[in-house]
Amino acid sequence: MTGDERDRDLPDQPDDRPSQQDPESTADEATSHSEHSDDAGNDRAFDDAYDDDTDGGSDDPSDERTDAAGYAGTRRRRRKQKKKAGWLKVTLLSLLSMFLVVVLAFVGFALYLNHVLSSNITHGASLPSSTVKPAADAGDSENILLLGSDTRSGTVDDVRSGARSDVIQLVHISSDHKSVQIVHFPRDLYVPIPGHGKNKINAAFAYGGPGLLAQTISKMLGGIVINRYAIIDFKGFAELTDDLGGVDVYVSQSFDEKGYGSFKKGYNTMDGDEALGFVRERHQLKEGDIDRGRNQQAWISAVVHKTLSAGTLFNPVKLTNTVKDLTKYTQVDADTSAGDIRSLALSLRKLRSGDITYYTAPFSGFANDKVAGSIDVVDKPRMKQLGKAIYHDKMDTYTYGKNTIR
């Protein structure tokens, strides 16, 4: 067998010799491999950027296990973030819903109170046109004549039908609406009544209702503008007190009289009937009607304090009943609308009990008249001073007759 034949019959052996490839072919293959690797890396980077559930990873194939763990961790973090965002959205929507419910409830309640105010309150005659021009320095101050009518009928539809004005208080509201002064005019003050000569001031109400009484007071004070009047029947005193759950009134003089009640000196918690007897009594008081006026102011102070307390303002039932009784037994002048009352109440919303000061109109003593009987003598000089202070909204300059009301 020849050598060539032997070579053909032998199996192929691996060639340990270095490859003798063409340099250009080797370079092309290296370039092709590099481009292929770059394409794969770019594809993975593109996939990572496109997939919302990943945050990218290493392009090195040897890091596949690390990429898998990072991918799973990222998904867990994103699930937690989505869950947190969902919880926050639900919470915000719940709070918004609760807020809307509260707002709608408040608006509905306000509309209901406005309905109560508009439907319950009654209107009397207009006040006569004032012949007094407001003072330039009085600003937006107001004077309201507050009257208590003892009709004993439980209605104020006809306040002149056998009625007596046993409460005569002039309420002065400062121009900035930050303070209020309440001046009691004793019913026995002996004064000139336009068109009726001289008599007790109480007679002006019987002769011509709140209009003539307003004219009488304005003239006595030297000329002031009285903007409105409000008359509350005595039955309203009682029901208003009961709606507030009773009031704590400071009694300066103890007394015990059948039909009026028994009261000790100091604070007394009064229900409606007790409060009614308290504001009516005068026979056992040292200065009669003078002290009765102070007792009425003590009751007013207790009611204001209780009404402005959180227990009333934020209690829908108490607030509604209070508004009902303030309107059901109250008559205002024909020119005062429900909107006027609502605006006035809003303007006084920051007022507190300590912002109210109480006075008794000045008198110089007591006497008897052969027609009018026992009378209170007017202190004319000081009455003019009081009128001037009211007219110019300078009540801080007037100190005479100030009452200490607790």
Side-chain angles (χ1 to χ4, degrees), residues 112-122 324 327-328 338:
Y112 174 68
L113 286 182
N114 186 63
H115 167 72
V116 170
L117 178 64
S118 302
S119 59
N120 275 9
I121 204 162
T122 61
K324 280 182 178 179
T327 54
K328 183 168 58 174

Side-chain angles (χ1 to χ4, degrees), residues 378-392:
V378 174
D379 186 336
K380 293 181 181 179
R382 284 199 171 104
M383 192 69 78
K384 298 296 183 183
Q385 291 174 13
L386 173 61
K388 187 176 180 180
I390 293 173
Y391 180 70
H392 291 284

